[in-house]
Amino acid sequence: MLRTALRNLLAHKARLLMTALAVLLGTAFVSGTLVFSDSVGSAFRNRTAKSLDDVAVSVTADGPSPGALDAKAVDKVRAIPGVTRVRPSVNGTTTVADKDGNPAGREWGSEGANYVPDNGRSDGKDSRYPLRTGRGPSAAGEVALDARTADRTGAKIGGTVRLAVDGPVITKKLVGIVDTDDPRVESGGSLALFDTPTAQKLLGKKGEFTELVVSAAPGTDQNALAAKVRAVLPKGVRAQSGTDLAAEQSKLIDKETKSIRNTFLVFAGIALFVGVFIIANTFTMLIAQRTREIALLRAVGASRRQVVRSVLIEAGVLGFVASAAGFVLGLGIAVGLRSVLNSTGASLPDGPLVIEPTAVLSALAVGTVVTVLAAWLPSRKAARIAPVEALSAVDQPAAPRSLVLRNTLGGVLTALGVAIMLYVTTFRDSSGLQAAMAGSALTLAGVIVLAPLLSRPFVAAFGRVTDRLTGVSGKLARRNALRNPRRTAATASALMIGLTLITGFTVVAISADRGVDRMGGQDLTADYKVTSSGFGGLSPDVARTLAGQPGVDAAVPIRMTGFQSGNAPAGLRATDVASLGKVTDLKVREGSLAAVRGKSVAVSDEYAKQRALRVGSSLPMEFYDGKKATARVAAVYTKNDVLSDVIGAPSLVDPHLDKVLDQEVLVKAAPGASADLPGTIRKALGANPLIKVQSRDDLRRESAGSIGDILFLMYGLLGMAVVIAVIGVVNTLAMSVFERTREIGMLRAIGLARSGVKQMVRLESVMIAMFGAVLGVGLGVFLAWSGGHILRSSFPTYEMVVPWGRIGIFLLLALAVGVLAALWPARRAARLNMLESIGTQ
């Protein structure tokens, strides 16, 4: 039976080619994901390990500990036996301006640090930052940059560099360009180096350090050394060994790469699931074509178990070979994923491909097991073929009872899934997420099971149109599609799964995008928002400067703090209440904003309802600095997306801020203002790279930009499943043509032209593709409508929008898929020799 299985595999290799391709693509997705995540994780770990090569102990202040890490602390640590060097570091955020005055690096990776010459080096170089050219900074007016930042800014040795830390622009002379292995800088950030006193002044406090990096003699126990460091330093100081620090970083990297890996594996699983339909369809058709052969094997003594084993061996060999080829293709996918994600701004570190044994074994095992499982039911059908069927017809209709059972099961699954999804519509928060996932899976599974039943009315209705337009070819195509509804359904289901997910994601994404648009535009009437790209806020001078600029009607600063009232946290925003009406659509329901001064506040209607407040009520406030106050409610306004729950005067907020800074400044342009008002604003603020000036359209694009990126990423990931589904259509049609060789020969003999044969195959393909597309689009819209309700609490402006234009494109693409998938099978059918076809047994 083993020889028989291998002979059958080789004898039908052309018919199994498309099946092998489906397994290959699905496995390639799995292996590519595993290799990609392993490679990225390894690259991050290598970068981190390299940056920690000389770190035996890292000493940091655990929270605000004034004076904990100063020169005395450095001397104490340096005196510990085994310590060879103590590098006192000062780190913080420094934004370097590029040629256009914009930040030269990403906000989260804009680093500033001190340049510390190594002990005992006469050349004054810092080994942590190898010099590429020039020298290290040694005076207050000097700076060094990393090579990539220097390229982006166009700065040259001896030229000037514009940068900002937490306020006005600073200009310094560039004296050196360095290399760095800091992962944040290599991933798109920037690095500016100062001499130590300047770094302390700009990034920290005079005489204090952010971190002490301790190096030790070879063979030193790092954990024991960390304990000694803790012993000589005051409380509030954290000393962590280099090995522990590396392990901690490795765990964080593994966590991040695991989330990426799991996300991609979900889509790889979808692609393999689609492939299951193709594999099962292929083996079902092969067994139907080999009925006589299997019956003869049974007649000469083969047991049912041997027949099952023969089919499963055939499937196993096919799955293993296709998986091996898929793994090789997966290496290319791993490289492509890195490039694609980097093009979207991911800035993944470079590194070699890492091929772990688990990735190889997983890819081979998954592809082989999926193929064998998909062939299991067809193999059992083969085992039930009786020896007396050796002379019977090849194509047997499905048993009515099995269809009844299948339809009953499908009806139950679909009804249960739909009921759960209707129940999900009663949710208004994310607590219904698990129910939505379960309901979606049950609904999709139920429709897949019901697909043979649903195919009959759809194909009959579609056939009425084709009958009128194409005559005999349309009738033949309709009857061919209805001849075996299971086969039609299985082929269409593969396409349906992909389009269900694509349609669902599209509807949710477009609806969310419109919601963001409404959220950003319904309450904000200011023309521009000015913020800081750093995390320190804006100086109050910014609003005062902008208020006097030509073309500016109003510049309203907003600063914020938090408080608790009755153990419930809330936000308090302070501003010039009299000018709020110029920059936001604030609707007062009770009281007057003019009364908001001193310890009087205005509250949103939602907050007032939650706290049972009204005009004249007292609001106890406990601020995060420990101070308490009692405010009087002077007004109640309709909830506003620009403002927080509570609005007060600056005099109420300022005493509770460590440093009085504005979170943002809302700018209203005067009538007839220049279109280049953003440029005027930036120029008035010294072209500071920390300053962001965004119009309402900019804010909308910033909020919704990631939605579009995610949607197109979903298209790319689900595209693999659609490609496999297309392969399934081609495979089914090709094998159907082989199965109907004699029939096609008879049709040609009684006068059907070659063009008619081609048209018949094409129309059958289009019927299958459109059936899958209509089911997929309809199911996707339903699941998006019902599941979208769980977004309402966190996304109040979300409202379902059906993107009819994109849905029309999906249907047109399905039509194109049907036409293109039939090209090869139709051509093959039309080229069959008439007499040879009639004589086929």
Side-chain angles (χ1 to χ4, degrees):
M1 295 304 294
L2 176 61
R3 288 197 298 271
T4 300
L6 295 176
R7 181 185 62 79
N8 285 331
L9 184 64
L10 294 174
H12 303 103
K13 54 183 179 292
R15 275 176 267 175
L16 290 169
L17 178 62
M18 290 296 177
T19 304
L21 187 56
V23 178
L24 182 149
L25 291 176
T27 307
F29 207 162
V30 173
S31 62
T33 297
L34 295 175
V35 172
F36 166 77
S37 59
D38 289 339
S39 301
V40 170
S42 175
F44 272 119
R45 280 190 291 272
N46 289 339
R47 290 288 188 274
T48 302
K50 188 175 180 182
S51 65
L52 296 174
D53 275 346
D54 199 32
V55 180
V57 178
S58 171
V59 184
T60 55
D62 192 5
S65 302
L69 297 181
D70 54 12
K72 292 181 179 178
V74 174
D75 293 337
K76 289 179 181 179
V77 175
R78 188 176 286 132
I80 297 174
V83 173
T84 58
R85 182 192 178 201
V86 178
R87 186 184 192 282
S89 299
V90 182
N91 302 295
T93 301
T94 301
T95 305
V96 180
D98 64 11
K99 301 173 185 178
D100 300 319
N102 299 314
R106 298 182 182 277
E107 293 179 21
W108 47 262
S110 298
E111 298 291 316
N114 60 327
Y115 187 88
V116 184
D118 294 348
N119 293 338
R121 291 191 63 158
S122 58
D123 55 8
K125 293 182 178 179
D126 184 344
S127 58
R128 185 177 180 185
Y129 302 112
L131 281 165
R132 179 173 291 191
T133 183
R135 60 177 177 82
S138 58
E142 298 176 345
V143 68
L145 300 177
D146 68 281
R148 295 185 183 184
T149 302
D151 289 339
R152 288 194 289 264
T153 60
K156 304 296 182 183
I157 297 295
T160 58
V161 176
R162 300 176 69 255
L163 50 89
V165 176
D166 60 359
V169 174
I170 303 170
T171 301
K172 293 185 179 294
K173 179 181 178 182
L174 181 65
V175 297
I177 296 176
V178 304
D179 291 319
T180 179
D181 51 20
D182 187 325
R184 290 168 296 183
V185 178
E186 289 194 340
S187 297
S190 62
L191 174 67
L193 298 173
F194 313 96
D195 65 287
T196 297
T198 303
Q200 289 174 328
K201 179 181 177 181
L202 294 175
L203 307 175
K205 294 182 179 179
K206 184 178 180 180
E208 295 186 12
F209 304 102
T210 308
E211 179 186 19
L212 303 183
V213 178
V214 182
S215 302
T220 301
D221 186 327
Q222 294 186 356
N223 289 319
L225 183 60
K228 294 178 182 178
V229 171
R230 284 192 289 269
V232 302
L233 293 178
K235 292 181 179 181
V237 171
R238 183 185 182 197
Q240 189 174 16
S241 67
T243 53
D244 287 347
L245 191 60
E248 185 178 286
Q249 293 294 326
S250 181
K251 287 181 181 179
L252 290 174
I253 292 169
D254 288 340
K255 183 178 179 180
E256 293 296 325
T257 54
K258 184 178 180 181
S259 64
I260 297 174
R261 179 175 65 247
N262 290 343
T263 300
F264 285 129
L265 284 178
V266 167
F267 291 94
I270 293 170
L272 283 171
F273 182 63
V274 169
V276 166
F277 291 89
I278 300 170
I279 299 165
N281 221 14
T282 300
F283 277 93
T284 299
M285 296 174 73
L286 280 176
I287 288 166
Q289 294 168 17
R290 286 156 43 190
T291 299
R292 291 189 176 185
E293 176 187 332
I294 295 172
L296 285 172
L297 287 173
R298 295 278 287 115
V300 298
S303 66
R304 291 187 175 186
R305 183 176 296 179
Q306 286 177 312
V307 172
V308 172
R309 194 180 301 159
S310 173
V311 176
L312 294 183
I313 289 173
E314 187 177 343
V317 173
L318 174 69
F320 182 83
V321 173
S323 299
F327 179 80
V328 176
L329 179 62
L331 300 180
I333 291 178
V335 175
L337 280 175
R338 189 197 298 264
S339 301
V340 169
L341 292 178
N342 280 338
S343 67
T344 62
S347 298
L348 300 174
D350 295 330
L353 285 179
V354 176
I355 304 175
E356 297 286 349
T358 52
V360 181
L361 295 176
S362 297
L364 295 177
V366 167
T368 304
V369 169
V370 166
T371 308
V372 171
L373 289 177
W376 182 66
L377 285 177
S379 72
R380 294 197 61 183
K381 181 180 178 182
R384 288 197 296 267
I385 296 175
V388 295
E389 295 183 37
L391 299 178
S392 64
V394 173
D395 196 11
Q396 297 291 334
R401 182 181 178 186
S402 63
L403 285 175
V404 171
L405 290 174
R406 175 171 181 156
N407 293 340
T408 302
L409 176 62
V412 171
L413 290 174
T414 304
L416 183 59
V418 170
I420 293 175
M421 295 310 296
L422 292 177
Y423 172 65
V424 167
T425 61
T426 63
F427 285 86
R428 291 295 182 270
D429 53 48
S430 59
S431 62
L433 180 59
Q434 291 184 343
M437 294 174 65
S440 299
L442 284 172
T443 306
L444 183 59
V447 173
I448 291 171
V449 177
L450 276 179
L453 177 65
L454 298 174
S455 67
R456 291 182 179 277
F458 177 87
V459 173
F462 195 88
R464 292 192 188 96
V465 178
T466 58
D467 288 356
R468 294 179 181 178
L469 296 177
T470 60
V472 174
S473 296
K475 292 180 181 179
L476 291 171
R478 172 169 53 84
R479 291 176 180 175
N480 288 334
L482 290 173
R483 177 185 301 180
N484 194 330
R486 291 182 176 187
R487 181 186 304 170
T488 299
T491 307
S493 293
L495 187 59
M496 179 198 72
I497 294 168
L499 281 176
T500 296
L501 296 173
I502 287 175
T503 303
F505 279 125
T506 299
V507 171
V508 172
I510 296 297
S511 301
D513 184 54
R514 299 288 175 83
V516 169
D517 195 13
R518 286 191 292 271
M519 183 184 293
Q522 66 179 4
D523 291 328
L524 182 67
T525 59
D527 296 296
Y528 302 98
K529 178 191 282 190
V530 180
T531 57
S532 171
S533 61
F535 305 100
L538 298 168
S539 167
D541 292 336
V542 170
R544 289 192 285 268
T545 300
L546 295 181
Q549 295 301 312
V552 174
D553 181 41
V556 181
I558 295 179
R559 61 194 62 156
M560 186 175 74
T561 189
F563 68 93
Q564 286 193 334
S565 182
N567 295 322
L572 170 63
R573 298 206 178 195
T575 184
D576 177 10
V577 179
S579 301
L580 268 181
K582 294 184 178 181
V583 294
T584 182
D585 184 15
L586 188 63
K587 298 181 177 67
V588 179
R589 302 183 62 173
E590 298 177 36
S592 171
L593 288 179
V596 178
R597 56 182 180 272
K599 291 189 177 182
S600 295
V601 297
V603 298
S604 70
D605 52 357
E606 285 191 7
Y607 188 73
K609 183 178 180 180
Q610 292 171 3
R611 303 291 300 161
L613 300 173
R614 64 182 65 181
V615 173
S617 297
S618 296
L619 177 63
M621 309 172 76
E622 182 177 350
F623 294 93
Y624 293 126
D625 60 358
K627 298 177 182 178
K628 298 180 180 180
T630 299
R632 175 183 172 275
V633 177
V636 177
Y637 58 89
T638 303
K639 181 175 172 57
N640 187 292
D641 290 322
V642 177
L643 304 170
S644 56
D645 294 325
V646 184
I647 305 172
S651 60
L652 179 62
V653 172
D654 292 353
H656 307 288
L657 299 176
D658 292 334
K659 187 175 183 180
V660 177
L661 294 172
D662 294 324
Q663 184 186 25
E664 59 193 30
V665 176
L666 301 179
V667 177
K668 182 67 177 178
S674 168
D676 191 33
L677 184 57
T680 302
I681 293 173
R682 290 186 59 83
K683 186 175 180 181
L685 299 177
N688 192 323
L690 281 176
I691 300 297
K692 292 171 64 175
V693 182
Q694 296 171 291
S695 66
R696 295 173 65 184
D697 287 340
D698 293 334
L699 293 171
R700 192 199 70 82
R701 283 193 294 269
E702 182 180 70
S703 300
S706 59
I707 295 176
D709 292 340
I710 292 172
L711 181 58
F712 283 107
L713 179 60
M714 294 298 104
Y715 286 164
L717 295 175
L718 291 171
M720 185 72 76
V722 175
V723 169
I724 293 175
V726 173
I727 291 172
V729 178
V730 176
N731 198 33
T732 299
L733 291 173
M735 297 189 72
S736 179
V737 167
F738 179 85
E739 191 176 79
R740 304 200 309 261
T741 299
R742 173 181 281 191
E743 177 186 321
I744 293 172
M746 292 293 294
L747 290 172
R748 292 278 290 116
I750 61 176
L752 186 63
R754 292 181 187 271
S755 59
V757 174
K758 288 183 178 180
Q759 190 175 58
M760 176 186 69
V761 176
R762 280 198 299 268
L763 287 173
E764 183 180 355
S765 176
V766 168
M767 287 180 188
I768 293 172
M770 293 305 295
F771 173 52
V774 170
L775 274 185
V777 167
L779 194 55
V781 171
F782 169 72
L783 295 179
W785 167 76
S786 53
H789 286 74
I790 62 179
L791 298 174
R792 294 295 172 83
S793 65
S794 57
F795 202 163
T797 57
Y798 179 89
E799 184 177 346
M800 179 175 162
V801 176
V802 180
W804 295 110
R806 293 206 187 189
I807 287 178
I809 292 174
F810 295 158
L811 294 175
L812 288 175
L813 288 175
L815 180 64
V817 163
V819 174
L820 295 175
L823 288 179
W824 177 59
R827 185 169 179 268
R828 183 176 181 275
R831 295 180 62 185
L832 290 174
N833 183 279
M834 187 188 312
L835 297 178
E836 291 179 358
S837 300
I838 295 174
T840 299
Q841 295 295 324

